[in-house]
Amino acid sequence: MTVLPTILLADLVTELPAPVRLQRLVSNLMAEFGGGAVVLLQKQQDYLKPVAMQGLAREALGRHFVVAHHPRLATIMASRQPVRFAPDSSLADPYDGLLDAQPEQPLAVHDCMGMSLYLEGECWGAITLDALEAGTFDAASEARLQHYSFLIEAIIRLCRLERDNRVLRQSRSDSEPRLVASQADSGIIGQSKALQQVLRQLDVVADSELPVLLLGETGTGKELFARRLHQLSPRSKKPLVYINCAALPETLAESELFGHVKGAFSGAGQDRAGRFEAADGGTLFLDEVGELPLSIQAKLLRVLQNGEVQRLGTDKPCQVNVRIVAATNRQLAERVQQGEFRADLYHRLSVYPLPIPPLRERELDILLLAGHFLEQNRVRLGFRSLRFAPEAEQLLLQYHWPGNVRELEHVLSRAAIQALSQGASRQDIVTLQADWLGLADTQQTAATALTEVAAPADLNGLTPKQTVLNGLTLEQTVLNGLTLKQALQCTQRQLIQAALQQHQQCWADAARSLGVDASNLHKLAQKLGLKANRGQP
């Protein structure tokens, strides 16, 4: 007799974090039924999102499977009973080519069954089981899955109750119901520690009325974080109004923000409300706020101070209640010192500054995001299946991503199109090769640029390009098996050691000679394992 019911019941009475509880569920089902993969998918709008899985490539966790685009998933979701597909079914499986336990040549799934899951009469999602070997699942397997469905749904229900209890313990006094953090569909994907830390801060500050300044490099997705903040705030039922300050012509910026009355200027044929009035009661998101002209900054400051806007062409003020969320990829503090941004406005906007981590600091999220964009391109271009070659995955993880998430999205779109230009058939399982990503040349260019950076001529007489890494140049090191990341770290380590030796272990002088800030040099050295404290390397 199977021990699975006993294991699942034991998990029901054991205190576990929800992600661990769900992962144990799929692992136990995998052990019970065998096969190649088990995936637990939660329904969100028109797609299914994996929340726990075993046996699939990691990037699959970032995919959103639109039900209408996957006939097997649509069939499963349309039934309240387990559904088993014949090994020779003509319906493509959403996991074709994605199973971990497959040879180098990707294979289609040959056996599949699944079942929709319901909580309190509403469809929660589905559980799917897949195998490469035909005949893995049979009628008895269907009956067992049906038998276990009550325990599976009970575990999911327990996770929901635990989440609701946490929300109640942190309950707020406002009467309007709002989304809890786990329900906010902002499109943010990732599980990295850096991202989760930002999301926790965002969830806390969302409940306040404080202005928030989102800081971060271009392409990090600041608009998605602003959307999440609005969804979790007391203003979620009111509008979120977006405005790109960098795209505002100075001559029209005042009208766009504050509105105008008929006849205020040539072409003003009727009264028009500005973005502040449109966002009344809600949130106004000022993207690229650092690009606002100084003349508009002064008027924006007045609105933030008094809560009043004055349409262009009239003296009559209008009261507005707007929360400001701003974003910039500029160093506003430096722009203040340079006289390009008002100090008083900067302090008004940066009551709660929130840095968004760049993609290179979210290494665990790269493949999840890649899987998400890969599924988008699969649907857009009509592929049966798109997957990564192992070398392509490795290159994605090693790349520096100066353009962050936006660059990753564009790279994968180009790679999918490149697959077609290389003769790939949309009906096959298409494996994206590393050289289709177009990152190899970029990586080499970056490496060359780093090694050719001007360095002090007195670093033992060596330039960075001449610095020896265990007896080899950078180019030779890469060819002898080190990854680019490892080779760059070796170069950095050698340069810092040489600079410190040249300047008698004076960190300030070494940093000056290397052209970097002293505090940044300390952080880099710590990361490279060169020093145990600020005093000695």
Side-chain angles (χ1 to χ4, degrees), residues 343-394:
D344 44 9
L345 178 59
Y346 169 67
H347 294 304
R348 279 276 178 179
L349 294 175
S350 61
V351 175
Y352 196 95
L354 186 60
I356 308 301
L359 187 55
R360 61 183 171 275
E361 295 179 7
R362 298 171 50 190
E363 188 171 337
L364 290 177
D365 299 338
I366 292 175
L367 290 184
L368 301 189
L369 287 162
H372 174 70
F373 295 133
L374 212 58
E375 178 66 15
Q376 285 185 341
N377 282 285
R378 186 199 67 78
V379 173
R380 186 183 301 127
L381 298 174
F383 283 102
R384 171 189 172 187
S385 175
L386 279 177
R387 68 191 291 270
F388 292 115
E391 297 79 11
E393 280 194 0
Q394 191 62 31

Short mmCIF file of all heavy atoms in Angstrom, two decimals, residues 343-394:
data_model
loop_
_atom_site.label_atom_id
_atom_site.label_comp_id
_atom_site.label_asym_id
_atom_site.label_seq_id
_atom_site.Cartn_x
_atom_site.Cartn_y
_atom_site.Cartn_z
N ALA A 343 17.11 71.41 -5.19
CA ALA A 343 17.35 70.66 -3.96
C ALA A 343 16.05 70.44 -3.19
O ALA A 343 15.80 69.35 -2.64
CB ALA A 343 18.37 71.38 -3.08
N ASP A 344 15.18 71.50 -3.13
CA ASP A 344 13.94 71.37 -2.36
C ASP A 344 13.01 70.33 -2.99
O ASP A 344 12.35 69.56 -2.29
CB ASP A 344 13.23 72.71 -2.21
CG ASP A 344 13.21 73.52 -3.50
OD1 ASP A 344 13.59 72.98 -4.57
OD2 ASP A 344 12.84 74.71 -3.45
N LEU A 345 12.97 70.25 -4.33
CA LEU A 345 12.14 69.24 -4.99
C LEU A 345 12.72 67.84 -4.78
O LEU A 345 11.98 66.88 -4.55
CB LEU A 345 12.03 69.54 -6.49
CG LEU A 345 11.24 68.53 -7.31
CD1 LEU A 345 9.81 68.42 -6.81
CD2 LEU A 345 11.25 68.91 -8.80
N TYR A 346 14.03 67.76 -4.82
CA TYR A 346 14.69 66.46 -4.59
C TYR A 346 14.33 65.90 -3.22
O TYR A 346 13.98 64.73 -3.08
CB TYR A 346 16.20 66.62 -4.72
CG TYR A 346 16.98 65.41 -4.24
CD1 TYR A 346 16.91 64.20 -4.92
CD2 TYR A 346 17.80 65.50 -3.11
CE1 TYR A 346 17.63 63.09 -4.47
CE2 TYR A 346 18.51 64.41 -2.67
CZ TYR A 346 18.42 63.20 -3.35
OH TYR A 346 19.12 62.11 -2.91
N HIS A 347 14.35 66.76 -2.20
CA HIS A 347 14.04 66.31 -0.85
C HIS A 347 12.55 65.95 -0.71
O HIS A 347 12.19 65.06 0.06
CB HIS A 347 14.44 67.37 0.18
CG HIS A 347 15.92 67.60 0.25
ND1 HIS A 347 16.81 66.58 0.49
CD2 HIS A 347 16.68 68.72 0.08
CE1 HIS A 347 18.06 67.05 0.48
NE2 HIS A 347 18.00 68.35 0.24
N ARG A 348 11.70 66.64 -1.45
CA ARG A 348 10.28 66.32 -1.44
C ARG A 348 10.01 64.94 -2.06
O ARG A 348 9.19 64.18 -1.58
CB ARG A 348 9.50 67.38 -2.22
CG ARG A 348 9.19 68.62 -1.45
CD ARG A 348 7.92 68.43 -0.62
NE ARG A 348 7.63 69.62 0.16
CZ ARG A 348 6.58 69.74 0.96
NH1 ARG A 348 5.73 68.73 1.06
NH2 ARG A 348 6.37 70.83 1.65
N LEU A 349 10.71 64.65 -3.16
CA LEU A 349 10.47 63.41 -3.89
C LEU A 349 11.12 62.21 -3.22
O LEU A 349 10.61 61.08 -3.33
CB LEU A 349 10.99 63.53 -5.32
CG LEU A 349 10.29 64.53 -6.25
CD1 LEU A 349 11.02 64.61 -7.57
CD2 LEU A 349 8.84 64.13 -6.46
N SER A 350 12.24 62.43 -2.55
CA SER A 350 13.02 61.31 -2.03
C SER A 350 12.77 61.05 -0.55
O SER A 350 13.68 60.68 0.19
CB SER A 350 14.52 61.55 -2.26
OG SER A 350 14.94 62.72 -1.58
N VAL A 351 11.53 61.24 -0.11
CA VAL A 351 11.19 60.93 1.28
C VAL A 351 11.48 59.46 1.56
O VAL A 351 12.00 59.10 2.61
CB VAL A 351 9.71 61.25 1.56
CG1 VAL A 351 9.32 60.81 2.97
CG2 VAL A 351 9.46 62.74 1.39
N TYR A 352 11.15 58.59 0.58
CA TYR A 352 11.47 57.17 0.71
C TYR A 352 12.15 56.72 -0.57
O TYR A 352 11.49 56.23 -1.50
CB TYR A 352 10.22 56.33 0.98
CG TYR A 352 10.55 54.94 1.50
CD1 TYR A 352 10.57 54.68 2.86
CD2 TYR A 352 10.88 53.92 0.62
CE1 TYR A 352 10.89 53.41 3.34
CE2 TYR A 352 11.20 52.65 1.09
CZ TYR A 352 11.20 52.41 2.45
OH TYR A 352 11.53 51.17 2.94
N PRO A 353 13.48 56.85 -0.65
CA PRO A 353 14.19 56.36 -1.85
C PRO A 353 14.29 54.84 -1.82
O PRO A 353 14.57 54.25 -0.78
CB PRO A 353 15.57 57.02 -1.73
CG PRO A 353 15.75 57.27 -0.27
CD PRO A 353 14.38 57.48 0.33
N LEU A 354 14.05 54.21 -2.96
CA LEU A 354 14.07 52.75 -3.03
C LEU A 354 14.88 52.31 -4.25
O LEU A 354 14.41 52.38 -5.38
CB LEU A 354 12.64 52.22 -3.13
CG LEU A 354 12.47 50.70 -3.06
CD1 LEU A 354 13.01 50.16 -1.74
CD2 LEU A 354 11.01 50.32 -3.21
N PRO A 355 16.13 51.88 -4.03
CA PRO A 355 16.96 51.43 -5.16
C PRO A 355 16.46 50.09 -5.71
O PRO A 355 16.21 49.15 -4.94
CB PRO A 355 18.36 51.28 -4.55
CG PRO A 355 18.30 51.98 -3.22
CD PRO A 355 16.88 51.88 -2.77
N ILE A 356 16.32 49.99 -7.02
CA ILE A 356 15.94 48.75 -7.68
C ILE A 356 17.22 48.05 -8.14
O ILE A 356 18.02 48.64 -8.86
CB ILE A 356 15.03 49.02 -8.90
CG1 ILE A 356 13.84 49.90 -8.50
CG2 ILE A 356 14.56 47.71 -9.51
CD1 ILE A 356 12.98 49.33 -7.41
N PRO A 357 17.45 46.81 -7.73
CA PRO A 357 18.73 46.15 -8.05
C PRO A 357 18.85 45.87 -9.55
O PRO A 357 17.87 45.51 -10.21
CB PRO A 357 18.66 44.84 -7.25
CG PRO A 357 17.21 44.58 -7.06
CD PRO A 357 16.56 45.93 -6.95
N PRO A 358 20.05 46.04 -10.09
CA PRO A 358 20.28 45.68 -11.50
C PRO A 358 20.22 44.18 -11.67
O PRO A 358 20.35 43.41 -10.71
CB PRO A 358 21.68 46.23 -11.78
CG PRO A 358 22.36 46.27 -10.46
CD PRO A 358 21.28 46.56 -9.45
N LEU A 359 20.06 43.74 -12.91
CA LEU A 359 19.89 42.30 -13.18
C LEU A 359 21.12 41.50 -12.77
O LEU A 359 21.00 40.35 -12.34
CB LEU A 359 19.58 42.10 -14.67
CG LEU A 359 19.21 40.68 -15.10
CD1 LEU A 359 18.05 40.15 -14.30
CD2 LEU A 359 18.90 40.64 -16.58
N ARG A 360 22.30 42.09 -12.88
CA ARG A 360 23.52 41.35 -12.54
C ARG A 360 23.59 41.02 -11.05
O ARG A 360 24.35 40.14 -10.64
CB ARG A 360 24.76 42.14 -12.96
CG ARG A 360 24.90 43.49 -12.29
CD ARG A 360 26.12 44.25 -12.80
NE ARG A 360 26.12 45.62 -12.32
CZ ARG A 360 25.48 46.61 -12.91
NH1 ARG A 360 24.78 46.39 -14.01
NH2 ARG A 360 25.52 47.83 -12.42
N GLU A 361 22.80 41.70 -10.22
CA GLU A 361 22.72 41.39 -8.80
C GLU A 361 21.56 40.46 -8.48
O GLU A 361 21.30 40.15 -7.33
CB GLU A 361 22.58 42.68 -7.98
CG GLU A 361 23.81 43.59 -8.07
CD GLU A 361 23.65 44.87 -7.28
OE1 GLU A 361 22.63 44.99 -6.55
OE2 GLU A 361 24.51 45.75 -7.38
N ARG A 362 20.86 40.00 -9.53
CA ARG A 362 19.72 39.11 -9.36
C ARG A 362 19.96 37.83 -10.16
O ARG A 362 19.12 37.39 -10.94
CB ARG A 362 18.44 39.79 -9.86
CG ARG A 362 18.05 41.05 -9.13
CD ARG A 362 16.92 41.76 -9.85
NE ARG A 362 15.81 40.85 -10.15
CZ ARG A 362 14.78 41.17 -10.94
NH1 ARG A 362 14.72 42.37 -11.49
NH2 ARG A 362 13.82 40.29 -11.18
N GLU A 363 21.12 37.22 -9.94
CA GLU A 363 21.54 36.10 -10.79
C GLU A 363 20.52 34.97 -10.79
O GLU A 363 20.29 34.33 -11.82
CB GLU A 363 22.90 35.58 -10.32
CG GLU A 363 23.50 34.54 -11.25
CD GLU A 363 24.94 34.20 -10.88
OE1 GLU A 363 25.60 35.04 -10.23
OE2 GLU A 363 25.38 33.10 -11.24
N LEU A 364 19.86 34.73 -9.66
CA LEU A 364 18.87 33.66 -9.59
C LEU A 364 17.66 33.94 -10.46
O LEU A 364 16.91 33.02 -10.81
CB LEU A 364 18.41 33.46 -8.14
CG LEU A 364 19.42 32.87 -7.16
CD1 LEU A 364 18.83 32.82 -5.76
CD2 LEU A 364 19.84 31.48 -7.60
N ASP A 365 17.44 35.19 -10.81
CA ASP A 365 16.24 35.56 -11.57
C ASP A 365 16.46 35.55 -13.08
O ASP A 365 15.49 35.64 -13.84
CB ASP A 365 15.78 36.97 -11.16
CG ASP A 365 15.40 37.05 -9.69
OD1 ASP A 365 15.11 35.99 -9.10
OD2 ASP A 365 15.42 38.16 -9.13
N ILE A 366 17.70 35.47 -13.52
CA ILE A 366 17.98 35.61 -14.95
C ILE A 366 17.27 34.53 -15.75
O ILE A 366 16.59 34.83 -16.76
CB ILE A 366 19.49 35.60 -15.21
CG1 ILE A 366 20.15 36.86 -14.63
CG2 ILE A 366 19.78 35.49 -16.71
CD1 ILE A 366 21.66 36.89 -14.74
N LEU A 367 17.38 33.28 -15.32
CA LEU A 367 16.75 32.20 -16.09
C LEU A 367 15.23 32.24 -15.97
O LEU A 367 14.52 31.88 -16.92
CB LEU A 367 17.28 30.84 -15.62
CG LEU A 367 18.74 30.54 -15.99
CD1 LEU A 367 19.11 29.13 -15.57
CD2 LEU A 367 18.98 30.72 -17.49
N LEU A 368 14.70 32.68 -14.83
CA LEU A 368 13.25 32.81 -14.70
C LEU A 368 12.71 33.85 -15.68
O LEU A 368 11.71 33.62 -16.37
CB LEU A 368 12.87 33.19 -13.27
CG LEU A 368 13.29 32.25 -12.15
CD1 LEU A 368 12.64 32.67 -10.84
CD2 LEU A 368 12.92 30.81 -12.47
N LEU A 369 13.37 34.99 -15.74
CA LEU A 369 12.97 36.03 -16.68
C LEU A 369 13.16 35.56 -18.12
O LEU A 369 12.31 35.82 -18.98
CB LEU A 369 13.79 37.30 -16.43
CG LEU A 369 13.43 38.08 -15.16
CD1 LEU A 369 14.55 39.02 -14.77
CD2 LEU A 369 12.14 38.86 -15.35
N ALA A 370 14.26 34.85 -18.36
CA ALA A 370 14.51 34.33 -19.70
C ALA A 370 13.41 33.37 -20.13
O ALA A 370 12.94 33.41 -21.28
CB ALA A 370 15.88 33.64 -19.76
N GLY A 371 12.97 32.51 -19.21
CA GLY A 371 11.88 31.59 -19.53
C GLY A 371 10.60 32.32 -19.86
O GLY A 371 9.86 31.95 -20.78
N HIS A 372 10.32 33.39 -19.11
CA HIS A 372 9.13 34.20 -19.36
C HIS A 372 9.17 34.80 -20.77
O HIS A 372 8.19 34.72 -21.52
CB HIS A 372 9.05 35.31 -18.31
CG HIS A 372 7.96 36.30 -18.54
ND1 HIS A 372 6.63 36.00 -18.40
CD2 HIS A 372 8.01 37.60 -18.94
CE1 HIS A 372 5.90 37.06 -18.67
NE2 HIS A 372 6.71 38.05 -19.00
N PHE A 373 10.31 35.41 -21.13
CA PHE A 373 10.41 36.03 -22.45
C PHE A 373 10.45 34.99 -23.57
O PHE A 373 9.98 35.23 -24.68
CB PHE A 373 11.65 36.92 -22.51
CG PHE A 373 11.59 38.10 -21.58
CD1 PHE A 373 12.66 38.43 -20.76
CD2 PHE A 373 10.46 38.89 -21.52
CE1 PHE A 373 12.60 39.51 -19.90
CE2 PHE A 373 10.38 39.98 -20.65
CZ PHE A 373 11.45 40.29 -19.85
N LEU A 374 11.02 33.82 -23.26
CA LEU A 374 11.06 32.75 -24.25
C LEU A 374 9.65 32.27 -24.58
O LEU A 374 9.31 32.04 -25.75
CB LEU A 374 11.90 31.59 -23.72
CG LEU A 374 12.69 30.77 -24.75
CD1 LEU A 374 13.63 31.66 -25.52
CD2 LEU A 374 13.45 29.66 -24.07
N GLU A 375 8.81 32.13 -23.57
CA GLU A 375 7.42 31.72 -23.81
C GLU A 375 6.66 32.78 -24.60
O GLU A 375 5.86 32.47 -25.49
CB GLU A 375 6.73 31.45 -22.47
CG GLU A 375 5.27 31.04 -22.57
CD GLU A 375 5.07 29.70 -23.25
OE1 GLU A 375 6.05 28.93 -23.41
OE2 GLU A 375 3.91 29.41 -23.64
N GLN A 376 6.92 34.05 -24.31
CA GLN A 376 6.29 35.12 -25.08
C GLN A 376 6.67 35.03 -26.55
O GLN A 376 5.80 35.16 -27.44
CB GLN A 376 6.71 36.49 -24.53
CG GLN A 376 6.04 36.87 -23.23
CD GLN A 376 6.39 38.28 -22.81
OE1 GLN A 376 7.39 38.87 -23.25
NE2 GLN A 376 5.59 38.87 -21.94
N ASN A 377 7.94 34.79 -26.83
CA ASN A 377 8.40 34.70 -28.22
C ASN A 377 7.91 33.42 -28.89
O ASN A 377 7.65 33.41 -30.10
CB ASN A 377 9.93 34.79 -28.27
CG ASN A 377 10.43 36.20 -28.13
OD1 ASN A 377 10.35 37.01 -29.05
ND2 ASN A 377 10.94 36.53 -26.96
N ARG A 378 7.78 32.36 -28.11
CA ARG A 378 7.25 31.12 -28.68
C ARG A 378 5.84 31.36 -29.23
O ARG A 378 5.51 30.94 -30.35
CB ARG A 378 7.21 30.03 -27.61
CG ARG A 378 6.81 28.65 -28.13
CD ARG A 378 6.34 27.75 -27.01
NE ARG A 378 5.10 28.21 -26.42
CZ ARG A 378 3.90 28.02 -26.97
NH1 ARG A 378 3.79 27.40 -28.13
NH2 ARG A 378 2.83 28.48 -26.36
N VAL A 379 5.01 32.04 -28.44
CA VAL A 379 3.64 32.34 -28.87
C VAL A 379 3.64 33.34 -30.01
O VAL A 379 2.94 33.16 -31.02
CB VAL A 379 2.82 32.86 -27.67
CG1 VAL A 379 1.45 33.32 -28.13
CG2 VAL A 379 2.70 31.79 -26.60
N ARG A 380 4.44 34.40 -29.88
CA ARG A 380 4.44 35.47 -30.87
C ARG A 380 4.86 34.97 -32.25
O ARG A 380 4.30 35.37 -33.27
CB ARG A 380 5.37 36.59 -30.40
CG ARG A 380 5.35 37.83 -31.28
CD ARG A 380 6.36 38.85 -30.77
NE ARG A 380 6.08 39.25 -29.40
CZ ARG A 380 6.94 39.23 -28.41
NH1 ARG A 380 8.17 38.79 -28.62
NH2 ARG A 380 6.61 39.62 -27.20
N LEU A 381 5.86 34.09 -32.28
CA LEU A 381 6.40 33.62 -33.55
C LEU A 381 5.85 32.26 -33.97
O LEU A 381 6.23 31.74 -35.02
CB LEU A 381 7.94 33.55 -33.45
CG LEU A 381 8.63 34.89 -33.20
CD1 LEU A 381 10.12 34.69 -32.99
CD2 LEU A 381 8.38 35.86 -34.34
N GLY A 382 4.99 31.66 -33.16
CA GLY A 382 4.32 30.43 -33.56
C GLY A 382 5.17 29.18 -33.46
O GLY A 382 4.91 28.20 -34.18
N PHE A 383 6.15 29.15 -32.56
CA PHE A 383 6.96 27.94 -32.36
C PHE A 383 6.20 26.91 -31.55
O PHE A 383 5.42 27.26 -30.65
CB PHE A 383 8.26 28.27 -31.63
CG PHE A 383 9.32 28.92 -32.48
CD1 PHE A 383 9.54 30.28 -32.42
CD2 PHE A 383 10.09 28.16 -33.34
CE1 PHE A 383 10.52 30.88 -33.19
CE2 PHE A 383 11.08 28.75 -34.12
CZ PHE A 383 11.29 30.12 -34.05
N ARG A 384 6.45 25.66 -31.83
CA ARG A 384 5.92 24.59 -30.98
C ARG A 384 6.59 24.63 -29.63
O ARG A 384 5.95 24.51 -28.58
CB ARG A 384 6.15 23.23 -31.65
CG ARG A 384 5.83 22.04 -30.77
CD ARG A 384 6.30 20.76 -31.42
NE ARG A 384 6.19 19.62 -30.53
CZ ARG A 384 6.66 18.41 -30.81
NH1 ARG A 384 7.27 18.19 -31.97
NH2 ARG A 384 6.52 17.44 -29.96
N SER A 385 7.93 24.76 -29.62
CA SER A 385 8.67 24.77 -28.37
C SER A 385 10.00 25.51 -28.57
O SER A 385 10.64 25.35 -29.60
CB SER A 385 8.94 23.35 -27.88
OG SER A 385 9.76 23.35 -26.72
N LEU A 386 10.37 26.31 -27.58
CA LEU A 386 11.66 27.00 -27.58
C LEU A 386 12.37 26.67 -26.27
O LEU A 386 11.76 26.72 -25.20
CB LEU A 386 11.48 28.52 -27.69
CG LEU A 386 11.26 29.13 -29.06
CD1 LEU A 386 11.04 30.63 -28.93
CD2 LEU A 386 12.43 28.86 -30.00
N ARG A 387 13.64 26.34 -26.36
CA ARG A 387 14.43 26.03 -25.17
C ARG A 387 15.84 26.55 -25.38
O ARG A 387 16.21 27.00 -26.47
CB ARG A 387 14.46 24.52 -24.92
CG ARG A 387 15.24 23.76 -25.98
CD ARG A 387 15.05 22.26 -25.90
NE ARG A 387 15.65 21.68 -24.73
CZ ARG A 387 16.91 21.22 -24.67
NH1 ARG A 387 17.70 21.31 -25.74
NH2 ARG A 387 17.38 20.67 -23.58
N PHE A 388 16.66 26.50 -24.30
CA PHE A 388 18.05 26.96 -24.37
C PHE A 388 18.99 25.76 -24.45
O PHE A 388 18.79 24.76 -23.77
CB PHE A 388 18.42 27.77 -23.13
CG PHE A 388 17.74 29.09 -23.02
CD1 PHE A 388 16.85 29.34 -21.99
CD2 PHE A 388 17.98 30.10 -23.94
CE1 PHE A 388 16.21 30.55 -21.87
CE2 PHE A 388 17.35 31.32 -23.83
CZ PHE A 388 16.46 31.55 -22.80
N ALA A 389 20.04 25.91 -25.25
CA ALA A 389 21.17 24.99 -25.15
C ALA A 389 21.90 25.28 -23.85
O ALA A 389 21.88 26.42 -23.35
CB ALA A 389 22.11 25.17 -26.34
N PRO A 390 22.55 24.28 -23.23
CA PRO A 390 23.27 24.53 -21.97
C PRO A 390 24.27 25.68 -22.09
O PRO A 390 24.42 26.47 -21.14
CB PRO A 390 23.97 23.19 -21.71
CG PRO A 390 23.13 22.17 -22.41
CD PRO A 390 22.60 22.86 -23.63
N GLU A 391 24.96 25.79 -23.23
CA GLU A 391 25.93 26.87 -23.42
C GLU A 391 25.25 28.24 -23.44
O GLU A 391 25.80 29.23 -22.96
CB GLU A 391 26.72 26.66 -24.71
CG GLU A 391 27.57 25.39 -24.76
CD GLU A 391 26.74 24.15 -25.07
OE1 GLU A 391 25.55 24.30 -25.45
OE2 GLU A 391 27.28 23.03 -24.93
N ALA A 392 24.04 28.28 -23.99
CA ALA A 392 23.29 29.53 -24.02
C ALA A 392 22.88 29.95 -22.61
O ALA A 392 22.99 31.13 -22.25
CB ALA A 392 22.06 29.39 -24.92
N GLU A 393 22.43 28.99 -21.81
CA GLU A 393 22.09 29.29 -20.42
C GLU A 393 23.30 29.84 -19.67
O GLU A 393 23.20 30.81 -18.92
CB GLU A 393 21.58 28.03 -19.71
CG GLU A 393 20.14 27.69 -19.98
CD GLU A 393 19.60 26.67 -19.01
OE1 GLU A 393 20.37 26.23 -18.12
OE2 GLU A 393 18.42 26.30 -19.14
N GLN A 394 24.45 29.22 -19.87
CA GLN A 394 25.66 29.65 -19.17
C GLN A 394 26.05 31.06 -19.58
O GLN A 394 26.46 31.87 -18.73
CB GLN A 394 26.81 28.67 -19.48
CG GLN A 394 28.04 28.86 -18.61
CD GLN A 394 27.76 28.62 -17.14
OE1 GLN A 394 26.90 27.82 -16.79
NE2 GLN A 394 28.47 29.32 -16.27
#
